Amino acid sequence: MTPSPDSGAPGAHDDDTRTLHGMGYAQELARNLSHFSNFAISFSIICILSGAINSLAQATSGAGGAAIGLGWPLGVFISGVFGVAMAQIASAYPTAGGLYHWGSILGNRFTGWLTAWFNLLGLVTVLAAINVGTYYFFLGAFGGSLGISDSMTTLMTFLVLLTGVQALVNHYGIALTARLTDFSGYLIFGTAVALTLACLAYAESYDFSRLWTFANYSGEAGGNVWPATTGGWVFMLGLLMPIYTITGYDASAHTSEETLNAARSVPRGIVRSIIWSGVFGYLFLCALVLMIPSMDEAAKQGWNVFFWALDQRLPGPVKMALFAAIFLSQVLCGLATVTSTSRMIFAFSRDGGLPFSGALAKVSRAHRTPSAAIWTGATLAVLFVWGAKWLEAGGTPVYTVVVSCTVIFIFFSFIIPIVLGLFAFGGPKWPKMGEWDIGRGGYSLFAVLSIVAMALIFFLGVQAPNELAFRVTVGFLVLTAVVWFAFEQRRFKGPPIGDEIARRQQHIAATEAAFKDN
């Protein structure tokens, strides 16, 4: 009987290792992730029970039911076109910190460096945003009964404890992390189904026309979530909810060096995490719209709409059980994001791309994890929230604007290698496709769609109330150019290429022998 490609058969493992050696790197990280585990990490970071719930008001206080019934599938498609193109590249180049390597291999060391900084900035701050969202969900769900109120001290204590636990789990090995993210995948599936059934069971009636009925709740009618504007424009702004939710699938690429049969498992993990998140998110969001007593009243609730809706219809025990499952899903979402962030830091540091790269690129022999990268990513996320909240306390709307910018930065890190691949496909820089191959025509189609989607995401992301995001983005681009030309252009060598790969083979053998002897 031929072993399954996900079974961990020695032949499959050897192929993965040879591919990694051919790119100039040693197999330092433990290759223990199955196909499902690779999928579950991306599915956990997307976490429809985090993004879709915490940003629900962008739809209900915007175009109403149509923002869910029509806007959710459209937004998922807009975000998902990047994933299909990325899957093609990931199959050919399955390495940790995938986007950085793709940007370097398909372009040059500058495009790789730029991709890395965009992706790294996005990952650190998205980790912060996820855990802040978890904090506010916890307050909304349990704060009143526990007598906990919002304050800077409460927020920072919560974040330090939560992010610390997430980092600690990651520190002790990918096997433990994989077990928890596998559980997270099942938990998200189960909770989404339970939420769907609960909403349908306690709905007074099923007015399906709500799902395609447009409204305009901008301004005071929607709790000022969006500034007063036209109905068509507020529908477009509402697309940010699914677009911002369906991100994080690059985690499958970041964990490539820990995934069995990576050339096949990684692209499948990317695409399937997008599809299943889109389907199950649509089910519970549509059920929620059908359950809401009044769309006009829901819009007035602004950011509190999810808790208000469940309070109106669901019995206390059912509601609290759902709250507990959703909260745990959000905690595990942050756990998976720490994994993705740390692998990006590790991969970039391995090639000298960050300060203190020597320390950040080290892998623990006991746990086979990049421990310094794990704790650095977690610490930076907490420090970001602390700094942004202090500036907000002074009257500057920093946090929400920067979070909006960082989602734009993540998509920028997606689009750079995708565009480079459009020109490199089949040429000397990308001569051989991986096991996942949609062909030149298929890749070109999704690459062009990604370019259009990137333009739309950037345009929507810098609109009011986040218009300051445009200045922040431009400022970061200017700062990046200064850093590159003043410092990194001469110092940064990028990933190994050509003869350098051959020269590394002896070092690779010695490194792997040291791990085996440990």
mmCIF file of all heavy atoms in Angstrom, residues 107-124:
data_model
loop_
_atom_site.group_PDB
_atom_site.id
_atom_site.type_symbol
_atom_site.label_atom_id
_atom_site.label_comp_id
_atom_site.label_asym_id
_atom_site.label_seq_id
_atom_site.Cartn_x
_atom_site.Cartn_y
_atom_site.Cartn_z
ATOM 1 N N GLY A 107 11.945 37.991 -7.395
ATOM 2 C CA GLY A 107 12.395 39.345 -7.710
ATOM 3 C C GLY A 107 13.863 39.500 -7.407
ATOM 4 O O GLY A 107 14.717 38.970 -8.104
ATOM 5 N N ASN A 108 14.175 40.196 -6.337
ATOM 6 C CA ASN A 108 15.564 40.384 -5.921
ATOM 7 C C ASN A 108 15.587 40.618 -4.409
ATOM 8 O O ASN A 108 14.544 40.565 -3.758
ATOM 9 C CB ASN A 108 16.207 41.557 -6.677
ATOM 10 C CG ASN A 108 15.368 42.829 -6.598
ATOM 11 O OD1 ASN A 108 14.938 43.231 -5.518
ATOM 12 N ND2 ASN A 108 15.123 43.456 -7.744
ATOM 13 N N ARG A 109 16.767 40.887 -3.874
ATOM 14 C CA ARG A 109 16.856 41.007 -2.419
ATOM 15 C C ARG A 109 16.075 42.211 -1.889
ATOM 16 O O ARG A 109 15.567 42.186 -0.758
ATOM 17 C CB ARG A 109 18.316 41.055 -1.971
ATOM 18 C CG ARG A 109 19.136 42.184 -2.531
ATOM 19 C CD ARG A 109 20.633 41.967 -2.303
ATOM 20 N NE ARG A 109 21.408 43.072 -2.847
ATOM 21 C CZ ARG A 109 21.792 44.139 -2.143
ATOM 22 N NH1 ARG A 109 21.503 44.196 -0.858
ATOM 23 N NH2 ARG A 109 22.478 45.110 -2.696
ATOM 24 N N PHE A 110 15.935 43.286 -2.698
ATOM 25 C CA PHE A 110 15.140 44.426 -2.244
ATOM 26 C C PHE A 110 13.660 44.069 -2.154
ATOM 27 O O PHE A 110 12.998 44.371 -1.145
ATOM 28 C CB PHE A 110 15.313 45.626 -3.176
ATOM 29 C CG PHE A 110 14.303 46.725 -2.907
ATOM 30 C CD1 PHE A 110 14.371 47.466 -1.741
ATOM 31 C CD2 PHE A 110 13.276 46.982 -3.809
ATOM 32 C CE1 PHE A 110 13.435 48.467 -1.466
ATOM 33 C CE2 PHE A 110 12.332 47.971 -3.535
ATOM 34 C CZ PHE A 110 12.414 48.718 -2.374
ATOM 35 N N THR A 111 13.116 43.425 -3.177
ATOM 36 C CA THR A 111 11.694 43.076 -3.136
ATOM 37 C C THR A 111 11.417 42.062 -2.029
ATOM 38 O O THR A 111 10.356 42.085 -1.407
ATOM 39 C CB THR A 111 11.220 42.526 -4.488
ATOM 40 O OG1 THR A 111 12.056 41.421 -4.891
ATOM 41 C CG2 THR A 111 11.270 43.608 -5.559
ATOM 42 N N GLY A 112 12.384 41.180 -1.756
ATOM 43 C CA GLY A 112 12.228 40.245 -0.649
ATOM 44 C C GLY A 112 12.242 40.963 0.691
ATOM 45 O O GLY A 112 11.425 40.681 1.568
ATOM 46 N N TRP A 113 13.181 41.890 0.851
ATOM 47 C CA TRP A 113 13.279 42.673 2.077
ATOM 48 C C TRP A 113 12.021 43.497 2.309
ATOM 49 O O TRP A 113 11.494 43.543 3.425
ATOM 50 C CB TRP A 113 14.508 43.575 1.976
ATOM 51 C CG TRP A 113 14.788 44.433 3.165
ATOM 52 C CD1 TRP A 113 15.475 44.095 4.296
ATOM 53 C CD2 TRP A 113 14.403 45.809 3.326
ATOM 54 N NE1 TRP A 113 15.531 45.161 5.160
ATOM 55 C CE2 TRP A 113 14.887 46.227 4.596
ATOM 56 C CE3 TRP A 113 13.694 46.718 2.541
ATOM 57 C CZ2 TRP A 113 14.684 47.520 5.072
ATOM 58 C CZ3 TRP A 113 13.498 48.007 3.020
ATOM 59 C CH2 TRP A 113 13.988 48.401 4.271
ATOM 60 N N LEU A 114 11.520 44.128 1.245
ATOM 61 C CA LEU A 114 10.310 44.945 1.352
ATOM 62 C C LEU A 114 9.111 44.080 1.721
ATOM 63 O O LEU A 114 8.311 44.451 2.591
ATOM 64 C CB LEU A 114 10.053 45.657 0.019
ATOM 65 C CG LEU A 114 8.876 46.625 -0.030
ATOM 66 C CD1 LEU A 114 9.094 47.785 0.927
ATOM 67 C CD2 LEU A 114 8.658 47.134 -1.461
ATOM 68 N N THR A 115 8.991 42.917 1.095
ATOM 69 C CA THR A 115 7.897 41.997 1.410
ATOM 70 C C THR A 115 7.956 41.579 2.871
ATOM 71 O O THR A 115 6.932 41.525 3.568
ATOM 72 C CB THR A 115 7.969 40.752 0.511
ATOM 73 O OG1 THR A 115 7.911 41.145 -0.863
ATOM 74 C CG2 THR A 115 6.826 39.792 0.805
ATOM 75 N N ALA A 116 9.169 41.279 3.343
ATOM 76 C CA ALA A 116 9.342 40.837 4.732
ATOM 77 C C ALA A 116 8.894 41.901 5.714
ATOM 78 O O ALA A 116 8.192 41.610 6.695
ATOM 79 C CB ALA A 116 10.802 40.466 4.979
ATOM 80 N N TRP A 117 9.272 43.150 5.480
ATOM 81 C CA TRP A 117 8.910 44.215 6.410
ATOM 82 C C TRP A 117 7.415 44.492 6.408
ATOM 83 O O TRP A 117 6.806 44.716 7.455
ATOM 84 C CB TRP A 117 9.695 45.487 6.107
ATOM 85 C CG TRP A 117 11.033 45.470 6.772
ATOM 86 C CD1 TRP A 117 12.244 45.279 6.194
ATOM 87 C CD2 TRP A 117 11.292 45.606 8.174
ATOM 88 N NE1 TRP A 117 13.245 45.291 7.125
ATOM 89 C CE2 TRP A 117 12.696 45.491 8.361
ATOM 90 C CE3 TRP A 117 10.483 45.815 9.296
ATOM 91 C CZ2 TRP A 117 13.283 45.584 9.613
ATOM 92 C CZ3 TRP A 117 11.082 45.907 10.540
ATOM 93 C CH2 TRP A 117 12.463 45.791 10.687
ATOM 94 N N PHE A 118 6.801 44.482 5.237
ATOM 95 C CA PHE A 118 5.350 44.640 5.169
ATOM 96 C C PHE A 118 4.658 43.524 5.945
ATOM 97 O O PHE A 118 3.755 43.757 6.748
ATOM 98 C CB PHE A 118 4.869 44.617 3.714
ATOM 99 C CG PHE A 118 4.923 45.951 3.026
ATOM 100 C CD1 PHE A 118 5.410 46.066 1.734
ATOM 101 C CD2 PHE A 118 4.470 47.097 3.657
ATOM 102 C CE1 PHE A 118 5.458 47.282 1.084
ATOM 103 C CE2 PHE A 118 4.511 48.326 3.015
ATOM 104 C CZ PHE A 118 4.994 48.415 1.724
ATOM 105 N N ASN A 119 5.085 42.281 5.687
ATOM 106 C CA ASN A 119 4.428 41.139 6.316
ATOM 107 C C ASN A 119 4.667 41.110 7.819
ATOM 108 O O ASN A 119 3.754 40.838 8.605
ATOM 109 C CB ASN A 119 4.916 39.848 5.661
ATOM 110 C CG ASN A 119 4.078 38.647 6.051
ATOM 111 O OD1 ASN A 119 4.567 37.682 6.632
ATOM 112 N ND2 ASN A 119 2.803 38.671 5.718
ATOM 113 N N LEU A 120 5.893 41.411 8.222
ATOM 114 C CA LEU A 120 6.231 41.372 9.644
ATOM 115 C C LEU A 120 5.471 42.433 10.421
ATOM 116 O O LEU A 120 4.919 42.172 11.504
ATOM 117 C CB LEU A 120 7.737 41.553 9.817
ATOM 118 C CG LEU A 120 8.285 41.425 11.237
ATOM 119 C CD1 LEU A 120 7.910 40.081 11.840
ATOM 120 C CD2 LEU A 120 9.796 41.604 11.229
ATOM 121 N N LEU A 121 5.430 43.647 9.888
ATOM 122 C CA LEU A 121 4.680 44.715 10.552
ATOM 123 C C LEU A 121 3.209 44.333 10.666
ATOM 124 O O LEU A 121 2.579 44.505 11.722
ATOM 125 C CB LEU A 121 4.824 46.020 9.767
ATOM 126 C CG LEU A 121 4.046 47.222 10.325
ATOM 127 C CD1 LEU A 121 4.570 47.607 11.694
ATOM 128 C CD2 LEU A 121 4.133 48.403 9.375
ATOM 129 N N GLY A 122 2.666 43.775 9.595
ATOM 130 C CA GLY A 122 1.267 43.354 9.624
ATOM 131 C C GLY A 122 1.011 42.263 10.635
ATOM 132 O O GLY A 122 0.033 42.301 11.386
ATOM 133 N N LEU A 123 1.887 41.264 10.699
ATOM 134 C CA LEU A 123 1.679 40.145 11.608
ATOM 135 C C LEU A 123 1.734 40.569 13.077
ATOM 136 O O LEU A 123 0.901 40.148 13.889
ATOM 137 C CB LEU A 123 2.725 39.055 11.343
ATOM 138 C CG LEU A 123 2.528 38.225 10.071
ATOM 139 C CD1 LEU A 123 3.765 37.374 9.796
ATOM 140 C CD2 LEU A 123 1.300 37.335 10.194
ATOM 141 N N VAL A 124 2.719 41.381 13.419
ATOM 142 C CA VAL A 124 2.854 41.812 14.821
ATOM 143 C C VAL A 124 1.637 42.611 15.261
ATOM 144 O O VAL A 124 1.069 42.392 16.342
ATOM 145 C CB VAL A 124 4.147 42.633 15.013
ATOM 146 C CG1 VAL A 124 4.149 43.325 16.379
ATOM 147 C CG2 VAL A 124 5.367 41.742 14.874
#
